[in-house]
Amino acid sequence: MVWAPGVARAARRIATAAALGGGGLTALGATAYGLLLAEGLLARKAIGRPHGLDGPPSDGIYGDYPGIPLKLVMLGDSTSVGLGMKDPAKTPAVLIANGLASVAERPVMLSVLGKSGAASAELVEQVDKALKLEPDVAIIFVGANDVITQTPPAVAVRHLTKAVRRLSESGAEVVVGTCPDLGTIRPIGQPLRWVTRRWSRQLAAAQTVAVVDAGGRTVAFADILGPAFATNPGEMFGPDRFHPSDRGYAQAAYAVLPSVCAALGLRPEPHPARGEGLQPIYLAAATAAEESGTEVSATRVAGRATGPHGKWVTLFRRRNGEMLNDA
């Protein structure tokens, strides 16, 4: 199902409300909001209690290389900490740290500051801790809990914008994995699944607009990086049927890794294929919300950051498995 025009309009509306300080009820309006309130408890009961309260301890230095370590911080929600994994090596943060060390041929000092259950409002405390570490790059996975807790999208986006801007202004490169499509979660039934899918994608598009404007770049998680989650949930989801399995986390990590390397100047940007490349921000945000693994970053045209339809950006569809051999 393609909602790109509607998603683009919603992204503009949400991002504008966030910038102006408005709350806005939700991306979908009062009717859908009431539906979520009515059926949210049923979904939570179906999902059950997550297996474990947090991911395994994974802070440390990765990569057996000489030189001063690159500093990587991981912020956000349960996906950022690898909830459900017992082996730190299978968490997204460690997979990214090892991959980054391999590409940079330098050690990477990893600090995981995310928290299971965190929504965008909780990023402020995580960023406070991150800034003290003076990171070279910060990765944020956030958005799912904003949908689950029915946080007005403009409010969620405003918190994310502040987090990205603070990190960017400190000199850190920022890469955000946008809100995944909660419509792929099997325990969530219809019509709630349809509502959460649309809400998730509208939030992801608005996140893209806000993050790029604040100095970061985004990688779309859409249906959590590929149709495999929809067609093969037994392998891609963990036992709680909500959080990814080790294979699911690996897909997330390797979708983000190329963007992290590009942000740090370790790899050139890929050559745009047909349908990629230069686009207005709202169109690119809507496209990314529909297509997993799509990266959006700011660019200039004739020395200008904005055009007649908003900020100029570059859109790339990261190929499945890209840089996997390097990592």
Side-chain angles (χ1 to χ4, degrees), residues 10-27 151-162 203 206:
R12 183 189 294 269
R13 184 174 66 252
I14 295 166
T16 300
L20 296 177
L25 184 55
T26 71
T151 300
V155 174
V157 168
R158 187 158 59 247
H159 287 298
L160 178 59
T161 301
K162 291 179 180 178
L203 176 58

Side-chain angles (χ1 to χ4, degrees), residues 166-191:
R166 290 177 65 199
L167 290 163
S168 181
E169 289 177 350
S170 77
E173 297 294 337
V174 185
V175 180
V176 176
T178 58
C179 181
D181 178 3
L182 298 185
T184 61
I185 308 300
R186 291 300 177 91
I188 299 178
Q190 298 290 13

Side-chain angles (χ1 to χ4, degrees), residues 16-270:
T16 300
L20 296 177
L25 184 55
T26 71
L28 303 177
T31 301
Y33 184 73
L35 179 61
L36 279 175
L37 286 176
E39 297 197 11
L41 291 176
L42 294 177
R44 291 190 185 190
K45 183 177 180 181
I47 292 168
R49 184 178 180 83
H51 44 119
L53 297 178
D54 242 322
S58 52
D59 289 5
I61 296 180
Y62 294 88
D64 187 16
Y65 298 96
I68 300 174
L70 288 166
K71 295 180 181 179
L72 165 65
V73 294
M74 195 82 174
L75 299 84
D77 55 25
S78 57
T79 308
S80 73
V81 303
L83 179 64
M85 297 297 98
K86 295 180 179 180
D87 182 357
K90 295 183 178 181
T91 63
V94 173
L95 289 169
I96 293 170
N98 278 324
L100 177 58
S102 177
V103 174
E105 296 185 344
R106 286 174 60 182
V108 172
M109 180 179 292
L110 171 65
S111 299
V112 179
L113 306 175
K115 182 180 178 183
S116 179
S120 296
E122 296 174 66
L123 288 174
V124 60
E125 181 178 348
Q126 296 180 24
V127 172
D128 287 342
K129 295 177 180 178
L131 293 178
K132 295 177 181 179
L133 301 175
E134 299 181 344
D136 296 294
V137 59
I139 302 172
I140 304 173
F141 291 174
V142 77
N145 289 308
D146 292 296
V147 176
I148 292 171
T149 58
Q150 299 100 38
T151 300
V155 174
V157 168
R158 187 158 59 247
H159 287 298
L160 178 59
T161 301
K162 291 179 180 178
V164 173
R165 183 165 287 122
R166 290 177 65 199
L167 290 163
S168 181
E169 289 177 350
S170 77
E173 297 294 337
V174 185
V175 180
V176 176
T178 58
C179 181
D181 178 3
L182 298 185
T184 61
I185 308 300
R186 291 300 177 91
I188 299 178
Q190 298 290 13
L192 184 59
R193 185 186 295 178
W194 181 89
V195 173
T196 54
R197 166 164 289 172
R198 189 176 177 194
W199 192 338
S200 300
R201 297 200 176 199
Q202 289 185 359
L203 176 58
Q207 286 177 319
T208 297
V209 173
V211 168
V212 172
D213 189 59
R217 63 178 69 198
T218 61
V219 176
F221 277 5
D223 50 358
I224 321 182
L225 309 169
F229 275 83
T231 59
N232 196 10
E235 292 187 17
M236 305 308 289
F237 284 108
D240 65 4
R241 299 184 296 162
F242 184 80
H243 294 90
S245 65
D246 54 352
R247 286 188 59 189
Y249 280 130
Q251 281 203 231
Y254 289 121
V256 171
L257 178 58
S259 297
V260 173
C261 293
L264 291 170
L266 299 172
R267 282 294 178 91
E269 297 286 6

